[in-house]
Amino acid sequence: MAAQFGRRLCKGAATTAVAAVAVAALSASQAPGVNDHGRQAAADATPSPDASASDGSATGNSPYYTDLPPLNSPSPSPSTGTGPTTPGTSEAGIPATVLDAYKKAEAALRDAKPGCNLPWQLLAAIGRVESGQARGGRVNAEGTTISPILGPQLDGNGFALIKDTDNGAYDGNSTYDQAVGPMQFIPSTWAWAGRDANGDGKKDPNNIYDAALAAGHYLCRFDWDLSDQRDLDRAILSYNNSREYLNLVMRWLEYYRKGTHEVPDGTGTLPGNRSDNGAGASPGPTTPSTPGTPAAGGPKPKPKQEKPGGGGTTKPKPPTTPPPTTPPDTPSAPPSSSPTPTDTVHHLEDAGTAKLTAMAGDTFTKRISTRAETKAGKAVGKVRIRFTIVGDTDTTFTGGESVATVATNSSGVAVAPALQAGEKTGDVTVRATVVGRMVAGLDYTATVTERAADALARTGDAALTCAPGGEFANQVEVKATYKGAVADGVAATATLIKSADDPTANDKGPFFKDADGKAVRTLAGLKTDAKGLLKLPKLYADDTTGTFLLRITTEGGATLTVELTVAAAETSSPSPSASPSA
């Protein structure tokens, strides 16, 4: 495949149509049916009704590479030698550092969100389509691109209109946003989706490890299960909302699933066609650099690289040098003068959000609703509202994220995902803001309360008796419930009280033992287990006989009082036939 980078052009309908036809033609020629995972290929699957719904997109729907995978299956090989290759071998090769980042991201998501079932091949497919695997693996030893990878500025001139959201911090553009890095995140998405995967203390969209992990979390939000074709469609479309994009990513996904291998960094095959009619144009560096001249501050190029299979070295193939992009001071075509919906937003209003309260560990039953309005109070649809959980809390949105972006509907209302209460109790602030518009945010307060129970009951009915100075044979076990459901993790206290009317701790009678074997008659800091059960330690008795009370209380007001009996053993009476001795 030609490794050429041409000049960036504005989006052309003709090439987009040709790309769509090419995808369709390849879909037919590869005769997709049931794939090796037992699922129907995306090009032939009936899309779900809401498959195109998203909360914006990771890339701002920026241009992408339209090169198709070869018709022949790849021929994976453990070697990266320079001998003859069979059709598909070079396209199946993924630069070593890039491949490592994808696999590490898959492993991290397997632990963090096992229900997502994210395959690293999906990250590879998106990375191929978005940046040609970081422009053929032009990354340094830490995984950071030798020069920045930037998409065109999203100024509404042939692309989406997304005004600057990061003051140029990520893309160097303080007027409009641009997609950044090997996974092509726009700054407003990276602000909440960004991750520090390599542990250097930075969330860098230009680092393939950070970007791959961020992409994995982005694709796994909303509790999507990527082994389900409908959820997989939704996830891919949320990355770039285009049916052609979905089909293309699915083709590369299936291609990489059939086999791949690593190649030295900087030697990957470069794509040649783009959806914006920029044949060979890359999301290019702001300052072009050749393999022999890395960007300022970057590492010096290594003359040789070890073969992944071991046994010698091979010189990396120098990728074709991309031409300079338009200089920063060159004015672009003026954007449309007509205001966008975002431009008309004057303020945000609450849209009837009910009181937000949940116990620790539970999902909030109510959700935040925010309405975008003009100065005259008219609803504004198709505006992105960002909901951010602020402050020191472990409460998240469902799916584990602290930020969610949702588009307003025709009534101007955006409904945030459900909140999942963490274990930290107290008030949590959720802030709603307009993406791309400097208007005052709207704060909501959600309250996380202690886990509670409203009922306690013993799990057995055996009598609790003991001889003076002895040990009770049976331990007390209770089950806590809340509104009939198991109440797990509920704090409880057990006290041997003086009487039903005097709940203070008794100074005689039955007792527990502490770690030193000393008598204690109050146990605090107890908690029910996952089944709502609480089994108390063994009870002992002093020499005092009588009936005593054990009271168990929980957070939420549940109370249970249990009777304990300490009595001397009965002695047998003398036989009637016995007579006193003479």
Side-chain angles (χ1 to χ4, degrees), residues 374-390:
T374 64
K375 187 174 183 179
K378 183 179 179 181
V380 184
K382 298 182 179 180
V383 172
R384 292 184 299 157
I385 305 298
R386 180 181 296 129
F387 297 95
T388 305
I389 300 172
V390 299

Side-chain angles (χ1 to χ4, degrees), residues 396-434:
T396 64
F397 291 111
T398 302
E401 306 294 348
S402 60
V403 179
T405 305
V406 182
T408 58
N409 59 21
S410 58
S411 298
V413 175
V415 180
L419 286 165
Q420 177 68 42
E423 294 302 320
K424 292 183 179 180
T425 59
D427 289 342
V428 177
T429 299
V430 181
R431 182 164 299 149
T433 56
V434 180

Side-chain angles (χ1 to χ4, degrees), residues 27-352:
S27 300
S29 66
Q30 289 184 318
V34 177
N35 61 27
D36 57 346
H37 287 252
R39 296 200 310 272
Q40 190 179 25
D44 306 295
T46 301
S48 57
D50 57 348
S52 62
S54 73
D55 62 344
S57 79
T59 68
N61 299 324
S62 294
Y64 54 90
Y65 288 115
T66 59
D67 296 66
L68 304 169
L71 295 176
N72 296 320
S73 297
S75 301
S77 168
S79 172
T80 58
T82 57
T85 60
T86 57
T89 301
S90 60
E91 288 82 355
I94 299 177
T97 299
V98 178
L99 181 59
D100 183 57
Y102 295 151
K103 291 185 175 180
K104 279 184 167 59
E106 179 196 56
L109 267 298
R110 191 184 304 124
D111 292 336
K113 298 181 180 179
C116 178
N117 296 305
L118 171 79
W120 66 261
Q121 291 92 339
L122 176 59
L123 297 176
I126 291 175
R128 169 73 187 199
V129 170
E130 291 295 345
S131 70
Q133 310 296 20
R135 294 204 310 275
R138 296 182 67 220
V139 296
N140 64 21
E142 289 72 40
T144 302
T145 56
I146 300 301
S147 51
I149 301 176
L150 296 175
Q153 68 176 15
L154 301 173
D155 56 7
N157 189 29
F159 309 110
L161 174 59
I162 302 179
K163 294 184 178 180
D164 175 62
T165 61
D166 66 329
N167 199 28
Y170 294 118
D171 53 17
N173 189 335
S174 58
T175 304
Y176 299 100
D177 273 351
Q178 295 174 248
V180 181
M183 302 305 281
Q184 289 289 277
F185 278 96
I186 54 174
S188 59
T189 302
W190 184 262
W192 63 266
R195 293 293 192 279
D196 175 18
N198 61 357
D200 63 357
K202 297 184 296 183
K203 298 176 182 179
D204 184 1
N206 294 297
N207 181 277
I208 185 58
Y209 288 100
D210 292 0
L213 183 60
H217 276 278
Y218 184 90
L219 294 165
C220 287
R221 69 203 195 287
F222 301 140
D223 285 335
W224 280 330
D225 177 0
L226 302 187
S227 65
D228 181 282
Q229 188 65 56
R230 293 172 299 178
D231 280 356
L232 181 60
D233 286 359
R234 294 185 182 101
I236 296 172
L237 285 168
S238 77
Y239 212 89
N240 193 313
N241 194 6
S242 160
R243 179 59 57 175
E244 290 77 17
Y245 181 88
L246 166 64
N247 291 341
L248 184 59
V249 169
M250 279 302 304
R251 287 302 169 191
W252 279 106
L253 169 60
E254 297 306 323
Y255 180 76
Y256 285 133
R257 273 178 168 158
K258 293 174 183 176
T260 187
H261 58 280
E262 69 177 39
V263 298
D265 290 343
T267 67
T269 301
L270 300 176
N273 299 287
R274 299 252 304 173
S275 63
D276 61 344
N277 200 28
S282 166
T286 52
T287 302
S289 61
T290 66
T293 309
K300 295 181 180 180
K302 300 177 182 179
K304 295 183 179 181
Q305 295 188 19
E306 292 184 2
K307 294 182 181 180
T313 59
T314 180
K315 293 183 179 180
K317 301 175 185 177
T320 303
T321 304
T325 57
T326 304
D329 57 352
T330 301
S332 61
S336 172
S337 59
S338 58
T340 66
T342 300
D343 293 332
T344 67
V345 177
H346 178 265
H347 60 272
L348 296 176
E349 290 285 348
D350 175 48

Side-chain angles (χ1 to χ4, degrees), residues 331-514:
S332 61
S336 172
S337 59
S338 58
T340 66
T342 300
D343 293 332
T344 67
V345 177
H346 178 265
H347 60 272
L348 296 176
E349 290 285 348
D350 175 48
T353 302
K355 185 177 181 180
L356 299 167
T357 303
M359 288 194 299
D362 288 353
T363 300
F364 284 75
T365 56
K366 307 297 182 182
R367 296 165 68 180
I368 295 171
S369 296
T370 301
R371 175 182 163 98
E373 296 184 353
T374 64
K375 187 174 183 179
K378 183 179 179 181
V380 184
K382 298 182 179 180
V383 172
R384 292 184 299 157
I385 305 298
R386 180 181 296 129
F387 297 95
T388 305
I389 300 172
V390 299
D392 182 18
T393 179
D394 55 355
T395 292
T396 64
F397 291 111
T398 302
E401 306 294 348
S402 60
V403 179
T405 305
V406 182
T408 58
N409 59 21
S410 58
S411 298
V413 175
V415 180
L419 286 165
Q420 177 68 42
E423 294 302 320
K424 292 183 179 180
T425 59
D427 289 342
V428 177
T429 299
V430 181
R431 182 164 299 149
T433 56
V434 180
V435 176
R437 178 79 169 159
M438 296 297 291
V439 298
L442 192 60
D443 284 355
Y444 295 85
T445 299
T447 303
V448 180
T449 62
E450 294 280 358
R451 294 172 182 256
D454 57 12
L456 284 172
R458 280 189 66 193
T459 58
D461 55 6
L464 299 169
T465 60
C466 180
E471 175 183 316
F472 283 81
N474 298 306
Q475 289 177 250
V476 178
E477 184 181 64
V478 297
K479 182 174 183 178
T481 56
Y482 184 78
K483 296 182 179 179
V486 167
D488 61 312
V490 177
T493 300
T495 304
L496 291 149
I497 59 177
K498 290 184 176 179
S499 69
D501 299 324
D502 186 355
T504 58
N506 209 335
D507 54 2
K508 58 185 178 180
F511 59 89
F512 300 105
K513 289 183 178 180
D514 63 14

